[in-house]
Amino acid sequence: KFGKPLTDEAIEGLKKHKYSCVCVSYLDKYVMTHFWNYILRFIPVWCAPNLLTILGLIAMTSSTLMAVYYCPDLQQPCQAPGSTWYFCILGTFLYQTLDALDGKQARRTGSS
């Protein structure tokens, strides 16, 4: 039989937890925040924040699957076309951008 994975004190701590994001890097604070605010202007207000999250997930998953297709074990020298790695860069960039935008969109639409 399995024991209880968390103590009652730990469970109470989880119930009280409130997510809070703080920009700690200079890049986030002085560059990316301005970029994200600019991009946010092009997202319609009717667009659900969860849609942005799902689009980011699709971008990251598809680029990862492409890399795994060419390099199944991700350890041997890989013979993937160079475009694979550009696609991975694009997928990662889209993921992090959409991840930042979903919170901004939620606050903008009052659904956070």
Side-chain angles (χ1 to χ4, degrees), residues 2-92:
F2 295 106
K4 196 171 184 182
L6 297 173
T7 64
D8 291 335
E9 184 179 314
I11 292 172
E12 285 304 312
L14 286 173
K15 289 179 182 178
K16 293 176 185 175
H17 174 74
K18 181 161 172 73
Y19 176 75
S20 174
C21 179
V22 179
C23 291
V24 294
S25 75
Y26 290 118
L27 184 63
D28 269 0
K29 191 173 182 178
Y30 297 113
V31 178
M32 296 310 293
T33 298
H34 299 290
F35 171 72
W36 294 325
N37 288 334
Y38 174 76
I39 296 297
L40 188 63
R41 298 184 325 179
F42 299 101
I43 297 174
V45 177
W46 56 262
C47 181
N50 288 341
L51 176 61
L52 299 175
T53 303
I54 290 170
L55 291 174
L57 174 68
I58 290 169
M60 196 67 201
T61 303
S62 60
S63 64
T64 301
L65 288 175
M66 181 182 261
V68 170
Y69 173 79
Y70 286 109
C71 306
D73 62 2
L74 295 176
Q75 291 184 4
Q76 297 176 10
C78 186
Q79 300 301 319
S83 59
T84 300
W85 309 119
Y86 290 116
F87 190 64
C88 287
I89 291 167
L90 178 65
T92 303

Side-chain angles (χ1 to χ4, degrees), residues 89-105:
I89 291 167
L90 178 65
T92 303
F93 178 75
L94 286 174
Y95 169 77
Q96 66 99 26
T97 299
L98 292 167
D99 184 53
L101 290 176
D102 68 355
K104 290 182 178 297
Q105 179 74 347

